[in-house]
């Protein structure tokens, strides 16, 4: 009895689970970016309601950081899809090699965004 079809099926299912995990990650990154932007708007509205125009006129980078996070989430989703398709072809051709550029890009992107957030938080103290 040949175990090859069963192995390919489990490999494809593992590939799909990995893809869906990346999609959840990208949704989380985009959601966090959305929250950052909306929280900035909320703080500005509250400060206007409390008649504190000095705080509402300060230049913050929350909107830029939030939009960057949403863009990073979208890029992560796109790269996850492209990687899913690539791995699917490699599994079908029995030529799979583990070299995932998505991991490197996501890691360095997260480190970059983290550095921006740290700089922003230190600057706003």
């Amino acid at each position: 009895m040949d175990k090859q079809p069963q192995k390919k099926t489990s490999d494809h299912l593992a590939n799909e689970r990995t893809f869906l995990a990346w999609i959840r990650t990208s949704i989380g990154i985009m959601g966090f970016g959305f929250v950052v932007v909306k929280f900035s708007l909320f703080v500005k509205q509250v400060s206007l309601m409390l008649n504190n125009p000095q705080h509402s006129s300060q230049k913050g980078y929350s909107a830029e950081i939030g939009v960057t996070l949403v863009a990073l989430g979208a890029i992560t989703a796109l790269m996850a899809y492209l990687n899913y398709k690539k791995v699917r072809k490699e599994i079908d051709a029995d030529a799979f090699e583990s070299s995932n550029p998505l991991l490197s890009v996501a890691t360095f992107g997260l480190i970059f965004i983290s550095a921006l957030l740290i700089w922003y938080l230190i600057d706003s103290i």
Side-chain angles (χ1 to χ4, degrees):
M1 184 176 220
D2 190 15
K3 295 256 181 187
Q4 189 65 18
Q6 180 66 26
K7 182 169 179 10
K8 274 195 176 184
T9 301
S10 64
D11 290 344
H12 282 293
L13 291 172
N15 187 30
E16 288 179 14
R17 283 191 303 272
T18 303
F19 170 67
L20 291 174
W22 278 109
I23 292 298
R24 283 191 305 272
T25 301
S26 70
I27 290 170
I29 293 169
M30 288 186 280
F32 182 60
F34 183 78
V35 167
V36 168
V37 171
K38 289 301 179 183
F39 184 73
S40 170
L41 293 173
F42 171 73
V43 169
K44 286 179 183 178
Q45 290 294 327
V46 168
S47 100
L48 287 174
M49 287 174 47
L50 296 174
N51 294 323
N52 186 0
Q54 292 90 6
H55 183 69
S56 63
S57 66
Q58 289 179 345
K59 175 63 179 156
Y61 296 101
S62 297
E64 290 86 356
I65 292 171
V67 169
T68 303
L69 284 168
V70 172
L72 182 63
I75 291 169
T76 301
L78 175 65
M79 290 186 67
Y81 177 74
L82 295 174
N83 187 62
Y84 166 74
K85 298 295 274 183
K86 178 183 88 74
V87 170
R88 187 172 131 196
K89 286 179 185 177
E90 289 176 353
I91 290 171
D92 286 338
D94 285 331
F96 176 73
E97 290 186 25
S98 179
S99 65
N100 196 344
L102 181 61
L103 293 174
S104 299
V105 170
T107 301
F108 290 115
L110 184 61
I111 290 169
F112 177 72
I113 295 298
S114 298
L116 284 177
L117 286 170
I118 290 169
W119 171 74
Y120 175 67
L121 292 172
I122 289 173
D123 193 45
S124 66
I125 295 177

